[in-house]
């Protein structure tokens, strides 16, 4: 489903982005593209997320975040390790601790924080403080959008 959404919303221009580990806002090289692109879209990465990515991404891989339809609240986050960039991907973080998200998925979670949490019963990446999510399930992987 995410692939189909990406194909429908494929941007006319490929964006070249770089981000710092704290602010994480896309930087656009072309001034004309800056007027048509929403520069308010961003992801925050927690320090625990960056530390864990530095540990596990030794081979050039990165964390891919995708928002898909499903889950008990309507949408769900999917976290995968990947090493192939698509043309509509945005990159956040640093070279050895990178998070990649496609533009369609970013529309559903801009302003949120990607965190790594280690608890007694589970450890993994989570999306926290999503300003666009109205409610979520108790496991934290599914959410509904504020309308």
């Amino acid at each position: 489903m995410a692939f189909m959404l990406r194909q429908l919303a494929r941007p006319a221009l490929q964006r070249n982005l770089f981000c710092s580990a704290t602010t994480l806002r896309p930087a656009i090289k072309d001034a004309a593209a800056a007027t048509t692109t929403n520069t308010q879209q961003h992801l925050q990465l927690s320090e625990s997320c960056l530390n864990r990515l530095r540990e596990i991404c030794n081979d050039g891989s990165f964390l891919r975040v995708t928002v898909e339809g499903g889950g008990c609240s309507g949408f769900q986050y999917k976290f995968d390790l990947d090493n192939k960039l698509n043309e509509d991907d945005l990159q956040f973080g640093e070279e050895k601790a990178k998070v990649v998200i496609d533009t369609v998925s970013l529309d559903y979670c801009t302003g949120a924080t990607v965190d790594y949490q280690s608890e007694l019963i589970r450890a993994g990446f989570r999306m926290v403080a999503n300003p666009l999510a109205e409610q979520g399930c108790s496991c934290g992987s599914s959410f509904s959008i504020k309308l």
Side-chain angles (χ1 to χ4, degrees):
M1 181 171 181
F3 175 77
M4 292 185 336
L5 288 173
R6 252 187 261 127
Q7 298 303 321
L8 292 172
R10 184 179 303 259
L13 298 173
Q14 182 176 354
R15 297 183 216 176
N16 294 322
L17 306 172
F18 71 91
C19 301
S20 69
T22 54
T23 306
L24 306 177
R25 294 190 187 271
I28 301 170
K29 290 181 179 180
D30 185 15
T35 60
T36 60
T37 304
N38 182 4
T39 58
Q40 297 300 316
Q41 290 189 327
H42 64 281
L43 277 181
Q44 303 287 338
L45 305 181
S46 71
E47 199 57 40
S48 63
C49 172
L50 292 171
N51 289 337
R52 182 63 179 151
L53 287 173
R54 287 182 198 114
E55 293 172 3
I56 64 174
C57 294
N58 299 330
D59 58 353
S61 60
F62 49 82
L63 180 69
R64 176 174 295 283
V65 178
T66 309
V67 175
E68 298 179 334
C72 53
S73 296
F75 295 95
Q76 61 188 357
Y77 303 111
K78 184 178 174 189
F79 299 95
D80 292 307
L81 289 179
D82 197 355
N83 58 8
K84 180 182 175 206
L85 287 172
N86 298 320
E87 62 184 50
D88 65 337
D89 285 339
L90 305 175
Q91 301 177 36
F92 298 93
E94 55 194 46
E95 186 60 34
K96 295 190 186 267
K98 193 179 341 183
V99 174
V100 172
I101 187 169
D102 62 271
T103 55
V104 175
S105 295
L106 185 59
D107 288 339
Y108 291 98
C109 56
T110 188
T113 301
V114 181
D115 190 24
Y116 181 79
Q117 296 178 345
S118 181
E119 301 169 355
L120 187 59
I121 59 172
R122 82 182 278 285
F125 293 97
R126 296 183 92 173
M127 191 73 71
V128 295
N130 184 349
L132 304 176
E134 185 171 51
Q135 63 183 9
C137 65
S138 61
C139 70
S141 66
S142 98
F143 66 101
S144 63
I145 296 291
K146 290 180 185 176
L147 297 176

